Amino acid sequence: MDRPWITPDRLTALNLILGLASAGLAAAQWWFPALAAWLLCRLADGLDGPLARLRRRRSGQEDPGQGGFWDISADFVVYGATVVGVGIGATAAFGAPWLPFVLVLFAYYVNGAVFLAFSSIAEKTGRQIDDGRSLSFLGGLAEGAETVVVHSLWLIFPEFAWVIAAVWALLVGVSAAHRILAGYRALS
Protein backbone atom coordinates (compact mmCIF):
# COMPACT_ATOMS: atom_id res chain seq x y z
CA MET A 1 0.00 0.00 0.00
CA ASP A 2 2.93 2.35 0.51
CA ARG A 3 2.82 3.99 -2.91
CA PRO A 4 3.13 7.75 -3.49
CA TRP A 5 -0.32 8.02 -5.06
CA ILE A 6 -1.96 6.19 -2.13
CA THR A 7 -2.22 8.59 0.78
CA PRO A 8 -3.88 8.17 4.18
CA ASP A 9 -6.26 11.03 3.36
CA ARG A 10 -7.28 9.36 0.08
CA LEU A 11 -7.94 6.11 1.92
CA THR A 12 -10.11 8.04 4.38
CA ALA A 13 -12.00 9.62 1.46
CA LEU A 14 -12.49 6.15 -0.05
CA ASN A 15 -13.78 4.95 3.33
CA LEU A 16 -16.30 7.80 3.36
CA ILE A 17 -17.48 7.25 -0.22
CA LEU A 18 -17.85 3.48 0.22
CA GLY A 19 -19.57 3.90 3.59
CA LEU A 20 -22.12 6.29 2.15
CA ALA A 21 -22.60 3.93 -0.80
CA SER A 22 -23.21 1.07 1.61
CA ALA A 23 -25.83 3.12 3.46
CA GLY A 24 -27.58 4.03 0.21
CA LEU A 25 -27.51 0.46 -1.04
CA ALA A 26 -28.94 -0.79 2.27
CA ALA A 27 -31.71 1.80 2.15
CA ALA A 28 -32.50 0.54 -1.38
CA GLN A 29 -32.47 -3.03 0.01
CA TRP A 30 -29.53 -4.16 -2.08
CA TRP A 31 -28.11 -6.07 0.84
CA PHE A 32 -25.11 -7.89 -0.66
CA PRO A 33 -23.75 -4.92 -2.63
CA ALA A 34 -24.20 -2.91 0.59
CA LEU A 35 -22.19 -5.57 2.44
CA ALA A 36 -19.39 -5.46 -0.14
CA ALA A 37 -19.23 -1.65 0.05
CA TRP A 38 -19.28 -1.82 3.87
CA LEU A 39 -16.41 -4.30 4.06
CA LEU A 40 -14.32 -2.34 1.53
CA CYS A 41 -15.03 0.85 3.44
CA ARG A 42 -13.80 -0.71 6.68
CA LEU A 43 -10.70 -2.03 4.90
CA ALA A 44 -9.85 1.49 3.72
CA ASP A 45 -10.46 2.79 7.24
CA GLY A 46 -8.20 0.13 8.71
CA LEU A 47 -5.33 1.03 6.39
CA ASP A 48 -5.27 4.84 6.59
CA GLY A 49 -3.93 5.11 10.15
CA PRO A 50 -1.14 2.53 9.88
CA LEU A 51 -0.01 4.08 6.59
CA ALA A 52 0.03 7.55 8.18
CA ARG A 53 2.02 6.30 11.19
CA LEU A 54 4.50 4.48 8.92
CA ARG A 55 5.11 7.59 6.85
CA ARG A 56 5.36 9.79 9.95
CA ARG A 57 7.97 7.48 11.51
CA ARG A 58 9.93 7.40 8.27
CA SER A 59 9.92 11.19 7.85
CA GLY A 60 10.45 11.97 11.54
CA GLN A 61 7.79 14.67 11.37
CA GLU A 62 5.37 15.40 14.19
CA ASP A 63 1.70 14.52 13.70
CA PRO A 64 -0.24 17.71 12.91
CA GLY A 65 -3.52 15.88 13.70
CA GLN A 66 -5.21 16.77 10.41
CA GLY A 67 -5.43 13.15 9.25
CA GLY A 68 -6.81 11.96 12.58
CA PHE A 69 -9.47 14.67 12.46
CA TRP A 70 -10.43 13.72 8.90
CA ASP A 71 -10.52 10.02 9.83
CA ILE A 72 -12.76 10.37 12.89
CA SER A 73 -15.05 12.78 11.03
CA ALA A 74 -15.46 10.28 8.18
CA ASP A 75 -16.04 7.45 10.66
CA PHE A 76 -18.85 9.29 12.43
CA VAL A 77 -20.53 10.08 9.11
CA VAL A 78 -20.19 6.46 7.95
CA TYR A 79 -21.43 4.90 11.20
CA GLY A 80 -24.44 7.19 11.39
CA ALA A 81 -25.29 6.82 7.71
CA THR A 82 -25.09 3.03 7.77
CA VAL A 83 -27.40 2.79 10.80
CA VAL A 84 -29.92 5.05 9.03
CA GLY A 85 -29.53 3.19 5.71
CA VAL A 86 -30.09 -0.22 7.27
CA GLY A 87 -32.98 1.19 9.32
CA ILE A 88 -34.67 2.53 6.20
CA GLY A 89 -34.13 -0.69 4.26
CA ALA A 90 -35.18 -3.03 7.06
CA THR A 91 -38.25 -0.95 7.88
CA ALA A 92 -39.34 -0.82 4.24
CA ALA A 93 -38.64 -4.47 3.44
CA PHE A 94 -39.55 -6.20 6.69
CA GLY A 95 -41.61 -3.75 8.74
CA ALA A 96 -38.80 -3.50 11.28
CA PRO A 97 -39.36 -1.06 14.14
CA TRP A 98 -37.27 2.12 14.13
CA LEU A 99 -36.59 2.24 17.87
CA PRO A 100 -33.59 -0.16 17.93
CA PHE A 101 -31.84 1.86 15.23
CA VAL A 102 -32.54 5.12 17.09
CA LEU A 103 -31.09 3.53 20.24
CA VAL A 104 -27.94 2.55 18.33
CA LEU A 105 -27.56 6.14 17.14
CA PHE A 106 -28.06 7.38 20.72
CA ALA A 107 -25.46 4.93 22.05
CA TYR A 108 -23.02 5.96 19.28
CA TYR A 109 -23.62 9.60 20.17
CA VAL A 110 -22.86 9.08 23.87
CA ASN A 111 -19.89 6.83 23.14
CA GLY A 112 -18.41 9.30 20.66
CA ALA A 113 -18.94 12.30 22.94
CA VAL A 114 -17.25 10.50 25.83
CA PHE A 115 -14.17 9.42 23.95
CA LEU A 116 -13.76 12.76 22.18
CA ALA A 117 -14.16 14.67 25.46
CA PHE A 118 -11.63 12.37 27.13
CA SER A 119 -9.17 12.78 24.27
CA SER A 120 -9.43 16.56 24.38
CA ILE A 121 -9.14 16.88 28.16
CA ALA A 122 -6.38 14.27 28.38
CA GLU A 123 -4.39 16.21 25.78
CA LYS A 124 -4.99 19.49 27.58
CA THR A 125 -3.87 18.07 30.94
CA GLY A 126 -0.96 16.00 29.61
CA ARG A 127 -2.60 12.64 30.33
CA GLN A 128 -3.15 11.46 26.78
CA ILE A 129 -2.79 7.82 25.86
CA ASP A 130 0.11 7.69 23.41
CA ASP A 131 -0.46 4.70 21.16
CA GLY A 132 0.56 6.48 17.98
CA ARG A 133 -2.96 7.59 17.04
CA SER A 134 -4.06 11.21 16.82
CA LEU A 135 -6.73 10.76 19.51
CA SER A 136 -6.59 9.12 22.94
CA PHE A 137 -8.97 6.16 22.88
CA LEU A 138 -10.37 4.57 26.02
CA GLY A 139 -10.93 0.86 25.54
CA GLY A 140 -14.45 -0.48 25.64
CA LEU A 141 -16.62 -3.51 25.10
CA ALA A 142 -17.80 -2.31 21.68
CA GLU A 143 -14.80 -1.50 19.51
CA GLY A 144 -14.11 -1.24 15.77
CA ALA A 145 -13.92 -4.96 15.02
CA GLU A 146 -17.21 -5.64 16.78
CA THR A 147 -18.82 -2.78 14.86
CA VAL A 148 -17.66 -4.26 11.55
CA VAL A 149 -19.18 -7.61 12.52
CA VAL A 150 -22.50 -6.17 13.72
CA HIS A 151 -23.01 -3.92 10.70
CA SER A 152 -22.13 -6.89 8.48
CA LEU A 153 -24.69 -9.08 10.26
CA TRP A 154 -27.35 -6.43 9.60
CA LEU A 155 -26.63 -6.72 5.89
CA ILE A 156 -26.41 -10.53 5.85
CA PHE A 157 -29.60 -10.98 7.90
CA PRO A 158 -31.58 -7.79 7.21
CA GLU A 159 -34.86 -9.33 8.38
CA PHE A 160 -33.29 -9.58 11.88
CA ALA A 161 -31.41 -6.27 11.72
CA TRP A 162 -33.69 -4.63 14.26
CA VAL A 163 -33.09 -7.45 16.79
CA ILE A 164 -29.34 -7.25 16.23
CA ALA A 165 -29.59 -3.46 16.59
CA ALA A 166 -31.39 -3.76 19.93
CA VAL A 167 -28.67 -6.00 21.36
CA TRP A 168 -25.95 -3.83 19.83
CA ALA A 169 -27.45 -0.65 21.33
CA LEU A 170 -27.27 -2.29 24.74
CA LEU A 171 -23.64 -3.35 24.28
CA VAL A 172 -22.57 0.06 22.97
CA GLY A 173 -24.44 1.69 25.86
CA VAL A 174 -22.59 -0.49 28.39
CA SER A 175 -19.34 0.37 26.62
CA ALA A 176 -20.16 4.08 26.85
CA ALA A 177 -20.90 3.77 30.58
CA HIS A 178 -17.58 1.95 31.05
CA ARG A 179 -15.75 4.69 29.15
CA ILE A 180 -17.38 7.37 31.31
CA LEU A 181 -16.13 5.66 34.47
CA ALA A 182 -12.70 4.86 33.06
CA GLY A 183 -12.25 8.38 31.70
CA TYR A 184 -13.30 9.97 34.96
CA ARG A 185 -10.84 7.79 36.88
CA ALA A 186 -8.02 8.39 34.40
CA LEU A 187 -8.45 12.15 34.70
CA SER A 188 -8.62 12.23 38.50
Side-chain angles (χ1 to χ4, degrees):
M1 293 296 304
D2 193 13
R3 304 281 185 257
W5 58 275
I6 299 175
T7 67
D9 285 348
R10 287 180 181 160
L11 287 171
T12 300
L14 181 61
N15 158 37
L16 179 62
I17 291 165
L18 289 167
L20 291 173
S22 176
L25 290 164
Q29 301 157 43
W30 293 5
W31 303 111
F32 287 112
L35 176 63
W38 168 251
L39 293 173
L40 290 171
C41 132
R42 295 296 80 204
L43 178 63
D45 182 54
L47 294 173
D48 60 359
L51 182 59
R53 288 187 288 279
L54 171 73
R55 289 187 178 169
R56 203 170 40 249
R57 274 193 310 273
R58 192 179 312 143
S59 72
Q61 293 178 341
E62 193 171 313
D63 179 16
Q66 182 182 28
F69 174 78
W70 173 224
D71 179 63
I72 198 67
S73 299
D75 285 346
F76 272 80
V77 170
V78 167
Y79 286 160
T82 55
V83 173
V84 171
V86 171
I88 291 170
T91 300
F94 307 106
W98 265 102
L99 183 59
F101 300 104
V102 171
L103 292 175
V104 169
L105 289 175
F106 175 70
Y108 280 177
Y109 171 82
V110 173
N111 213 26
V114 168
F115 98 75
L116 290 174
F118 174 80
S119 184
S120 176
I121 295 168
E123 176 75 24
K124 183 178 178 181
T125 60
R127 299 181 201 168
Q128 65 268 26
I129 299 169
D130 189 10
D131 60 1
R133 295 186 279 187
S134 298
L135 300 170
S136 293
F137 284 82
L138 289 167
L141 178 63
E143 299 280 343
E146 291 83 5
T147 303
V148 173
V149 169
V150 168
H151 284 237
S152 297
L153 289 173
W154 288 345
L155 298 168
I156 295 168
F157 304 108
E159 64 275 16
F160 301 112
W162 70 273
V163 176
I164 297 166
V167 174
W168 184 235
L170 178 65
L171 292 174
V172 174
V174 168
S175 189
H178 172 264
R179 283 187 168 120
I180 291 170
L181 294 172
Y184 184 81
R185 288 182 184 142
L187 295 171
S188 61

PDB file of all heavy atoms in Angstrom, residues 3-4 6 18 35 45 54 56 58 66 68 79 91 97 107-108 143 156 170 183:
ATOM      1  N   ARG A   3       2.528   3.424  -1.599  1.00  0.00           N
ATOM      2  CA  ARG A   3       2.819   3.987  -2.915  1.00  0.00           C
ATOM      3  C   ARG A   3       2.558   5.483  -2.844  1.00  0.00           C
ATOM      4  O   ARG A   3       1.641   5.921  -2.140  1.00  0.00           O
ATOM      5  CB  ARG A   3       1.913   3.373  -3.991  1.00  0.00           C
ATOM      6  CG  ARG A   3       1.983   1.870  -4.081  1.00  0.00           C
ATOM      7  CD  ARG A   3       3.248   1.450  -4.847  1.00  0.00           C
ATOM      8  NE  ARG A   3       3.290   0.031  -5.059  1.00  0.00           N
ATOM      9  CZ  ARG A   3       4.037  -0.811  -4.361  1.00  0.00           C
ATOM     10  NH1 ARG A   3       4.787  -0.369  -3.388  1.00  0.00           N
ATOM     11  NH2 ARG A   3       4.038  -2.081  -4.632  1.00  0.00           N
ATOM     12  N   PRO A   4       3.314   6.291  -3.578  1.00  0.00           N
ATOM     13  CA  PRO A   4       3.132   7.745  -3.486  1.00  0.00           C
ATOM     14  C   PRO A   4       1.704   8.225  -3.773  1.00  0.00           C
ATOM     15  O   PRO A   4       1.225   9.164  -3.156  1.00  0.00           O
ATOM     16  CB  PRO A   4       4.116   8.297  -4.517  1.00  0.00           C
ATOM     17  CG  PRO A   4       5.142   7.229  -4.689  1.00  0.00           C
ATOM     18  CD  PRO A   4       4.433   5.928  -4.459  1.00  0.00           C
ATOM     19  N   ILE A   6      -1.037   6.619  -3.180  1.00  0.00           N
ATOM     20  CA  ILE A   6      -1.964   6.189  -2.127  1.00  0.00           C
ATOM     21  C   ILE A   6      -1.588   6.954  -0.871  1.00  0.00           C
ATOM     22  O   ILE A   6      -0.508   6.767  -0.319  1.00  0.00           O
ATOM     23  CB  ILE A   6      -1.879   4.673  -1.874  1.00  0.00           C
ATOM     24  CG1 ILE A   6      -2.243   3.883  -3.121  1.00  0.00           C
ATOM     25  CG2 ILE A   6      -2.794   4.286  -0.709  1.00  0.00           C
ATOM     26  CD1 ILE A   6      -2.071   2.387  -2.990  1.00  0.00           C
ATOM     27  N   LEU A  18     -17.312   4.850   0.165  1.00  0.00           N
ATOM     28  CA  LEU A  18     -17.850   3.479   0.219  1.00  0.00           C
ATOM     29  C   LEU A  18     -18.861   3.308   1.352  1.00  0.00           C
ATOM     30  O   LEU A  18     -19.853   2.589   1.204  1.00  0.00           O
ATOM     31  CB  LEU A  18     -16.706   2.474   0.369  1.00  0.00           C
ATOM     32  CG  LEU A  18     -15.830   2.283  -0.862  1.00  0.00           C
ATOM     33  CD1 LEU A  18     -14.558   1.511  -0.499  1.00  0.00           C
ATOM     34  CD2 LEU A  18     -16.607   1.568  -1.963  1.00  0.00           C
ATOM     35  N   LEU A  35     -23.190  -4.858   1.631  1.00  0.00           N
ATOM     36  CA  LEU A  35     -22.192  -5.567   2.440  1.00  0.00           C
ATOM     37  C   LEU A  35     -20.806  -5.428   1.836  1.00  0.00           C
ATOM     38  O   LEU A  35     -19.828  -5.152   2.549  1.00  0.00           O
ATOM     39  CB  LEU A  35     -22.570  -7.049   2.574  1.00  0.00           C
ATOM     40  CG  LEU A  35     -21.571  -7.940   3.324  1.00  0.00           C
ATOM     41  CD1 LEU A  35     -21.423  -7.507   4.776  1.00  0.00           C
ATOM     42  CD2 LEU A  35     -22.008  -9.403   3.224  1.00  0.00           C
ATOM     43  N   ASP A  45     -10.604   2.141   5.943  1.00  0.00           N
ATOM     44  CA  ASP A  45     -10.455   2.791   7.242  1.00  0.00           C
ATOM     45  C   ASP A  45      -9.368   2.131   8.078  1.00  0.00           C
ATOM     46  O   ASP A  45      -8.661   2.808   8.822  1.00  0.00           O
ATOM     47  CB  ASP A  45     -11.782   2.761   8.003  1.00  0.00           C
ATOM     48  CG  ASP A  45     -11.674   3.461   9.344  1.00  0.00           C
ATOM     49  OD1 ASP A  45     -11.247   4.630   9.366  1.00  0.00           O
ATOM     50  OD2 ASP A  45     -11.992   2.840  10.367  1.00  0.00           O
ATOM     51  N   LEU A  54       3.294   4.940   9.598  1.00  0.00           N
ATOM     52  CA  LEU A  54       4.502   4.477   8.917  1.00  0.00           C
ATOM     53  C   LEU A  54       5.223   5.650   8.256  1.00  0.00           C
ATOM     54  O   LEU A  54       6.439   5.820   8.426  1.00  0.00           O
ATOM     55  CB  LEU A  54       4.140   3.420   7.862  1.00  0.00           C
ATOM     56  CG  LEU A  54       5.273   2.989   6.930  1.00  0.00           C
ATOM     57  CD1 LEU A  54       6.254   2.102   7.685  1.00  0.00           C
ATOM     58  CD2 LEU A  54       4.711   2.278   5.717  1.00  0.00           C
ATOM     59  N   ARG A  56       4.913   8.830   8.939  1.00  0.00           N
ATOM     60  CA  ARG A  56       5.356   9.788   9.946  1.00  0.00           C
ATOM     61  C   ARG A  56       6.658   9.326  10.597  1.00  0.00           C
ATOM     62  O   ARG A  56       7.580  10.116  10.801  1.00  0.00           O
ATOM     63  CB  ARG A  56       4.257   9.983  10.986  1.00  0.00           C
ATOM     64  CG  ARG A  56       4.341  11.284  11.716  1.00  0.00           C
ATOM     65  CD  ARG A  56       3.138  11.603  12.585  1.00  0.00           C
ATOM     66  NE  ARG A  56       2.575  10.496  13.306  1.00  0.00           N
ATOM     67  CZ  ARG A  56       1.383   9.950  13.055  1.00  0.00           C
ATOM     68  NH1 ARG A  56       0.636  10.404  12.080  1.00  0.00           N
ATOM     69  NH2 ARG A  56       0.938   8.947  13.776  1.00  0.00           N
ATOM     70  N   ARG A  58       8.887   7.344   9.289  1.00  0.00           N
ATOM     71  CA  ARG A  58       9.930   7.400   8.271  1.00  0.00           C
ATOM     72  C   ARG A  58      10.437   8.827   8.068  1.00  0.00           C
ATOM     73  O   ARG A  58      11.621   9.048   7.902  1.00  0.00           O
ATOM     74  CB  ARG A  58       9.410   6.835   6.949  1.00  0.00           C
ATOM     75  CG  ARG A  58      10.521   6.595   5.946  1.00  0.00           C
ATOM     76  CD  ARG A  58      10.042   6.004   4.637  1.00  0.00           C
ATOM     77  NE  ARG A  58       9.163   4.871   4.799  1.00  0.00           N
ATOM     78  CZ  ARG A  58       8.109   4.627   4.012  1.00  0.00           C
ATOM     79  NH1 ARG A  58       7.804   5.433   3.035  1.00  0.00           N
ATOM     80  NH2 ARG A  58       7.369   3.576   4.216  1.00  0.00           N
ATOM     81  N   GLN A  66      -4.242  16.564  11.486  1.00  0.00           N
ATOM     82  CA  GLN A  66      -5.205  16.771  10.414  1.00  0.00           C
ATOM     83  C   GLN A  66      -5.798  15.444   9.931  1.00  0.00           C
ATOM     84  O   GLN A  66      -7.011  15.315   9.748  1.00  0.00           O
ATOM     85  CB  GLN A  66      -4.528  17.503   9.266  1.00  0.00           C
ATOM     86  CG  GLN A  66      -5.425  17.816   8.104  1.00  0.00           C
ATOM     87  CD  GLN A  66      -4.650  18.498   6.974  1.00  0.00           C
ATOM     88  OE1 GLN A  66      -3.444  18.285   6.824  1.00  0.00           O
ATOM     89  NE2 GLN A  66      -5.328  19.296   6.195  1.00  0.00           N
ATOM     90  N   GLY A  68      -5.977  12.549  11.540  1.00  0.00           N
ATOM     91  CA  GLY A  68      -6.814  11.960  12.585  1.00  0.00           C
ATOM     92  C   GLY A  68      -8.180  12.613  12.652  1.00  0.00           C
ATOM     93  O   GLY A  68      -9.199  11.955  12.848  1.00  0.00           O
ATOM     94  N   TYR A  79     -20.670   5.677  10.217  1.00  0.00           N
ATOM     95  CA  TYR A  79     -21.432   4.899  11.199  1.00  0.00           C
ATOM     96  C   TYR A  79     -22.880   5.370  11.282  1.00  0.00           C
ATOM     97  O   TYR A  79     -23.814   4.567  11.286  1.00  0.00           O
ATOM     98  CB  TYR A  79     -20.785   4.951  12.580  1.00  0.00           C
ATOM     99  CG  TYR A  79     -19.532   4.126  12.727  1.00  0.00           C
ATOM    100  CD1 TYR A  79     -18.635   4.386  13.746  1.00  0.00           C
ATOM    101  CD2 TYR A  79     -19.234   3.088  11.858  1.00  0.00           C
ATOM    102  CE1 TYR A  79     -17.481   3.628  13.908  1.00  0.00           C
ATOM    103  CE2 TYR A  79     -18.089   2.333  12.000  1.00  0.00           C
ATOM    104  CZ  TYR A  79     -17.211   2.606  13.029  1.00  0.00           C
ATOM    105  OH  TYR A  79     -16.079   1.860  13.185  1.00  0.00           O
ATOM    106  N   THR A  91     -36.882  -1.392   7.603  1.00  0.00           N
ATOM    107  CA  THR A  91     -38.248  -0.946   7.877  1.00  0.00           C
ATOM    108  C   THR A  91     -39.120  -1.108   6.631  1.00  0.00           C
ATOM    109  O   THR A  91     -40.243  -1.607   6.717  1.00  0.00           O
ATOM    110  CB  THR A  91     -38.244   0.520   8.355  1.00  0.00           C
ATOM    111  OG1 THR A  91     -37.461   0.599   9.545  1.00  0.00           O
ATOM    112  CG2 THR A  91     -39.631   1.017   8.638  1.00  0.00           C
ATOM    113  N   PRO A  97     -39.136  -2.279  13.369  1.00  0.00           N
ATOM    114  CA  PRO A  97     -39.357  -1.056  14.140  1.00  0.00           C
ATOM    115  C   PRO A  97     -38.116  -0.150  14.093  1.00  0.00           C
ATOM    116  O   PRO A  97     -36.993  -0.628  13.990  1.00  0.00           O
ATOM    117  CB  PRO A  97     -39.596  -1.575  15.560  1.00  0.00           C
ATOM    118  CG  PRO A  97     -38.937  -2.904  15.616  1.00  0.00           C
ATOM    119  CD  PRO A  97     -38.995  -3.462  14.220  1.00  0.00           C
ATOM    120  N   ALA A 107     -26.636   5.532  21.405  1.00  0.00           N
ATOM    121  CA  ALA A 107     -25.463   4.928  22.049  1.00  0.00           C
ATOM    122  C   ALA A 107     -24.177   5.373  21.352  1.00  0.00           C
ATOM    123  O   ALA A 107     -23.170   5.665  22.015  1.00  0.00           O
ATOM    124  CB  ALA A 107     -25.589   3.403  22.039  1.00  0.00           C
ATOM    125  N   TYR A 108     -24.187   5.456  20.023  1.00  0.00           N
ATOM    126  CA  TYR A 108     -23.024   5.958  19.285  1.00  0.00           C
ATOM    127  C   TYR A 108     -22.729   7.408  19.672  1.00  0.00           C
ATOM    128  O   TYR A 108     -21.573   7.801  19.824  1.00  0.00           O
ATOM    129  CB  TYR A 108     -23.251   5.878  17.774  1.00  0.00           C
ATOM    130  CG  TYR A 108     -23.040   4.520  17.154  1.00  0.00           C
ATOM    131  CD1 TYR A 108     -23.289   4.333  15.804  1.00  0.00           C
ATOM    132  CD2 TYR A 108     -22.601   3.420  17.885  1.00  0.00           C
ATOM    133  CE1 TYR A 108     -23.097   3.100  15.189  1.00  0.00           C
ATOM    134  CE2 TYR A 108     -22.413   2.188  17.282  1.00  0.00           C
ATOM    135  CZ  TYR A 108     -22.665   2.038  15.943  1.00  0.00           C
ATOM    136  OH  TYR A 108     -22.465   0.816  15.336  1.00  0.00           O
ATOM    137  N   GLU A 143     -15.903  -2.151  20.211  1.00  0.00           N
ATOM    138  CA  GLU A 143     -14.795  -1.502  19.507  1.00  0.00           C
ATOM    139  C   GLU A 143     -15.032  -1.603  17.997  1.00  0.00           C
ATOM    140  O   GLU A 143     -16.089  -2.032  17.551  1.00  0.00           O
ATOM    141  CB  GLU A 143     -13.475  -2.185  19.890  1.00  0.00           C
ATOM    142  CG  GLU A 143     -13.130  -2.106  21.359  1.00  0.00           C
ATOM    143  CD  GLU A 143     -12.521  -0.783  21.763  1.00  0.00           C
ATOM    144  OE1 GLU A 143     -12.055  -0.037  20.875  1.00  0.00           O
ATOM    145  OE2 GLU A 143     -12.514  -0.487  22.969  1.00  0.00           O
ATOM    146  N   ILE A 156     -26.264  -9.108   6.197  1.00  0.00           N
ATOM    147  CA  ILE A 156     -26.405 -10.528   5.851  1.00  0.00           C
ATOM    148  C   ILE A 156     -27.793 -11.034   6.241  1.00  0.00           C
ATOM    149  O   ILE A 156     -28.399 -11.838   5.530  1.00  0.00           O
ATOM    150  CB  ILE A 156     -25.295 -11.355   6.537  1.00  0.00           C
ATOM    151  CG1 ILE A 156     -23.924 -10.948   5.986  1.00  0.00           C
ATOM    152  CG2 ILE A 156     -25.535 -12.849   6.361  1.00  0.00           C
ATOM    153  CD1 ILE A 156     -22.744 -11.494   6.791  1.00  0.00           C
ATOM    154  N   LEU A 170     -27.551  -1.980  23.345  1.00  0.00           N
ATOM    155  CA  LEU A 170     -27.271  -2.286  24.744  1.00  0.00           C
ATOM    156  C   LEU A 170     -25.766  -2.420  24.987  1.00  0.00           C
ATOM    157  O   LEU A 170     -25.221  -1.846  25.929  1.00  0.00           O
ATOM    158  CB  LEU A 170     -27.998  -3.573  25.166  1.00  0.00           C
ATOM    159  CG  LEU A 170     -27.755  -4.039  26.598  1.00  0.00           C
ATOM    160  CD1 LEU A 170     -28.309  -3.030  27.589  1.00  0.00           C
ATOM    161  CD2 LEU A 170     -28.371  -5.410  26.819  1.00  0.00           C
ATOM    162  N   GLY A 183     -12.761   7.044  32.000  1.00  0.00           N
ATOM    163  CA  GLY A 183     -12.247   8.376  31.704  1.00  0.00           C
ATOM    164  C   GLY A 183     -12.206   9.245  32.933  1.00  0.00           C
ATOM    165  O   GLY A 183     -11.234   9.974  33.167  1.00  0.00           O
TER     166      GLY A 183
END
